[in-house]
Amino acid sequence: MILPWTDHPWEYSVFTAPTRRRALVLALAVLGTTSLAACTAGAGPDGKRPGSSASAPADPASRPDLRRFYGQKLDWRPCGAHRCASLTVPRDYSRPGDGKTFVLPVAKAATAVAGKRVGSLVLNPGGPGERGERLIRDGVAEDIGRSVRERFDIVSFDPRGVGESKPALTCTVAADSDSGSAEAPEEEEAGAAVPLHPRTASERADALASARATAAGCRAASGPLLPHVGTDDAARDLDVLRAALGERRLTYVGWSYGTSLGTSYAEQFPRRVRAMVLDGAVDPSLDWRQRMTGQATGFRKAVEEYAASCAEAVGDACPGSTPQEIRALIDRLLERTGREPLPVDGSAYGLDAPALVSALSLSMYTPEAQWQALSEALVAAGEGDGTRLAALAAGEEESEEPGAEESGDPTGTDASEGAAESGTDGVPEDNTDAALIAINCLDVPHPRDAKAYWDALAPAERAAGAYGTTGVTSELVCADLPPGAGRPHRVKAEGVPPVLVVGTAGDPATPYGEAVSLARQFPGGMLLSFDAPGHTGYGRSECVDRKVEAYLISLTKVLPGTTCTA
């Protein structure tokens, strides 16, 4: 899926929202599904699900070539108020003995109380590309219910290629690299605006050239890694982490993209699941166009809901006195930025139409925390200043949130040391964009011919307006990146216990219909509905929190038709 700014995939993560409660509301607003499973054989040597207990392949943990990975003991060390360690996994699970590995940072908040401890609760904050170790360091454990914290240590990790993973993905090639490619160019000077819907041959050639340049940067800087950062391999890493934590079965919460990771784990290791919550679900049966259209339509509807509910939500700060006035202002800004970027302080280029769509979309993740800032930014834009909208599009307000200063290297070194280390191997300190591109393009098959994208433009515009056309053009980068072997499919997880899927009725990033579908695909799957706008539910509703945490602790089932209201 694609985020509505140039060359950036949609982020399946609450962390894309610029202003929100730092830990749980952000992380838990990703995806929520729960699965339970007994502990027997998981995936076979090829990672495929066993057909039956009688003919099941050998447990991966018992394979001689994987034994050194599954036999790891995490060497925990202090990192601020938490504990950190490193997990080594094979880069290629089909050739685990070739010496090539990923080393993944792991962080833990040791919260379990002696005598009450059930085990470890592993979290994934979404993305793809969000850093799990930073999630822990930013204090997510403090926002999880006390009853859960007393029974579980809270654990997360940076997936392969992400964050402080070694090696890590980048799409930027340093100027002195042996590849001969130069680093990404500096910001463009003011000029022709980027169209929301490239119609002419020239506009389409420009869009294709931009996408190909991005893909070329990824191949040049991270080519050997690109085939090995997919979600199925990350799920295998999750099982190695489970073993290293000393857990017979996995207890897991994934938000947004984290639901894809959880679903893959449940398919490969169904009998190793104890409890799994997937919040903000991604339906694996959808192809790239269906995913993009559903999400783009979700953002369009969310912005319309913002206009309708602004007065109730933020009062006098609204950029119009009626919903019609707010919609008219947004339309005028889209038309104006389509002709010429709005001025932005400190920027030679300014705010173009795709960046405006990005600012609007990112502001729909947590309305209760973001609509005030969006309203003030729209008022300023209406007066000719795009600076505040540009900040929303870039997520720059995140740095002002509590705990942001604490993020960085999981070993406890200061930020300058972490940045220096990143500079040494050419990986930027924040490689979220590169991870988003590489993982999404590998996980979801995309056409190689640009004509398929041009054919998708008109239907996307009819369904979702500017949100649809920017979604299509953002997908173009995948045409020139390595495809994975996966295909859209319905979940196959025979033997997995009931999984809990959380779906938010007004979720723009992971539409509610995908949660309904995913819950039905899991054998015994349970759906918990949250009747509210915004992305994900766990961490935003006391009702949702109670039911999710009762399930995590006691495996309490959620009855069909259960709905929480805002």
Side-chain angles (χ1 to χ4, degrees):
M1 293 277 178
I2 300 298
L3 196 66
W5 54 25
T6 305
D7 297 330
H8 291 264
W10 296 110
E11 283 197 54
Y12 282 126
S13 168
V14 286
F15 289 93
T16 53
T19 53
R20 56 204 172 283
R21 187 152 54 101
R22 181 64 199 167
L24 193 63
V25 168
L26 304 186
L28 302 189
V30 186
L31 297 183
T33 325
T34 313
S35 359
L36 308 172
C39 181
T40 60
D46 59 359
K48 296 181 180 179
R49 295 173 296 278
S52 69
S53 58
S55 60
D59 187 323
S62 67
R63 284 175 48 188
D65 55 357
L66 289 177
R67 193 170 296 151
R68 77 180 184 94
F69 299 104
Y70 271 94
Q72 291 175 85
K73 302 298 181 184
L74 294 174
D75 181 16
W76 296 108
R77 60 191 181 280
C79 53
H82 306 104
R83 299 177 186 176
C84 295
S86 296
L87 181 77
T88 301
V89 295
R91 188 177 301 185
D92 185 346
Y93 274 90
S94 69
R95 302 171 59 194
D98 66 2
K100 296 179 181 179
T101 63
F102 284 101
V103 179
L104 312 180
V106 183
K108 173 174 71 172
T111 58
V113 175
K116 292 186 177 182
R117 189 180 189 278
V118 174
S120 298
L121 169 61
V122 180
L123 311 179
N124 179 271
E130 291 296 342
R131 295 177 55 180
E133 61 83 19
R134 179 171 289 177
L135 177 71
I136 299 298
R137 289 167 60 82
D138 283 350
V140 68
E142 297 173 7
D143 289 316
I144 291 176
R146 179 178 177 180
S147 58
V148 172
R149 284 183 282 125
E150 288 180 341
R151 290 166 174 82
F152 295 93
D153 294 325
I154 313 301
V155 177
S156 193
F157 68 106
D158 288 0
R160 51 176 54 214
V162 171
E164 292 292 332
S165 160
K166 301 297 180 187
L169 291 160
T170 178
C171 291
T172 302
V173 182
D176 59 354
S177 170
D178 293 337
S179 69
S181 300
E183 61 184 340
E186 296 180 1
E187 185 181 78
E188 301 176 57
E189 295 182 0
V194 176
L196 289 169
H197 185 154
R199 301 177 188 275
T200 68
S202 176
E203 289 173 343
R204 292 183 176 183
D206 287 346
L208 186 58
S210 176
R212 284 177 171 170
T214 299
C218 294
R219 292 196 308 271
S222 300
L225 303 183
L226 295 178
H228 303 296
V229 295
T231 299
D232 285 346
D233 281 333
R236 294 182 178 98
D237 298 343
L238 184 56
D239 196 55
V240 175
L241 175 62
R242 171 203 58 76
L245 290 169
E247 304 294 344
R248 294 179 62 246
R249 295 186 294 166
L250 177 70
T251 302
Y252 175 85
V253 174
W255 292 274
S256 199
Y257 163 78
T259 63
S260 290
L261 180 60
T263 297
S264 179
Y265 185 90
E267 289 190 293
Q268 296 184 69
F269 307 98
R271 302 182 189 280
R272 288 224 184 96
V273 178
R274 174 189 170 273
M276 183 173 285
V277 176
L278 308 179
D279 186 4
V282 179
D283 183 352
S285 71
L286 303 181
D287 65 24
W288 76 273
R289 279 186 63 168
Q290 292 170 320
R291 290 190 182 204
M292 180 276 301
T293 302
Q295 193 175 58
T297 302
F299 280 108
R300 175 184 61 79
K301 291 179 177 178
V303 174
E304 291 174 353
E305 177 62 23
Y306 158 73
S309 305
C310 183
E312 180 182 355
V314 302
D316 293 341
C318 288
S321 58
T322 66
Q324 292 75 18
E325 287 186 7
I326 298 172
R327 293 188 184 103
L329 171 61
I330 292 173
D331 289 343
R332 287 197 303 273
L333 290 172
L334 285 169
E335 191 275 334
R336 178 176 176 180
T337 55
R339 289 185 286 105
E340 181 181 8
L342 277 178
V344 171
D345 290 347
S347 169
Y349 184 73
L351 179 86
D352 62 13
L356 172 58
V357 173
S358 179
L360 292 166
S361 300
L362 289 173
S363 298
M364 298 300 111
Y365 278 72
T366 48
E368 62 272 22
Q370 296 176 268
W371 281 5
Q372 176 86 22
L374 173 63
S375 298
E376 294 169 354
L378 286 171
V379 169
E383 297 171 352
D385 184 359
T387 304
R388 301 183 74 168
L389 281 174
L392 294 180
E396 292 176 356
E397 293 191 5
E398 291 185 9
S399 62
E400 301 172 5
E401 296 175 2
E405 297 175 356
E406 299 174 12
S407 61
D409 180 44
T411 62
T413 58
D414 65 27
S416 61
E417 292 175 7
E421 183 177 355
S422 296
T424 301
D425 58 16
V427 177
E429 188 174 358
D430 181 357
N431 73 336
T432 303
D433 289 351
L436 274 166
I437 292 168
I439 297 169
N440 280 333
C441 294
L442 191 65
D443 279 358
V444 183
H446 282 73
R448 316 303 287 176
D449 186 350
K451 184 178 183 299
Y453 301 88
W454 309 143
D455 291 345
L457 280 168
E461 185 171 49
R462 288 193 295 270
Y467 308 91
T469 55
T470 52
V472 172
T473 54
S474 294
E475 299 279 359
L476 268 172
V477 67
C478 292
D480 277 50
L481 286 175
R487 293 292 181 270
H489 67 281
R490 294 185 63 81
V491 173
K492 297 179 181 178
E494 182 180 352
V496 73
V499 169
L500 178 59
V501 180
V502 181
T504 300
D507 194 325
T510 51
Y512 177 71
E514 295 194 38
V516 175
S517 176
L518 185 64
R520 289 173 176 168
Q521 292 176 49
F522 274 106
M526 303 176 292
L527 175 67
L528 172 59
S529 300
F530 179 36
D531 188 9
H535 185 39
T536 70
Y538 184 35
R540 298 178 57 217
S541 160
E542 291 184 5
C543 172
V544 173
D545 294 355
R546 285 196 305 271
K547 296 186 182 302
V548 166
E549 292 176 357
Y551 166 75
L552 290 172
I553 294 168
S554 305
L555 307 182
T556 303
K557 292 187 176 181
V558 172
L559 299 177
T562 301
T563 300
C564 293
T565 57

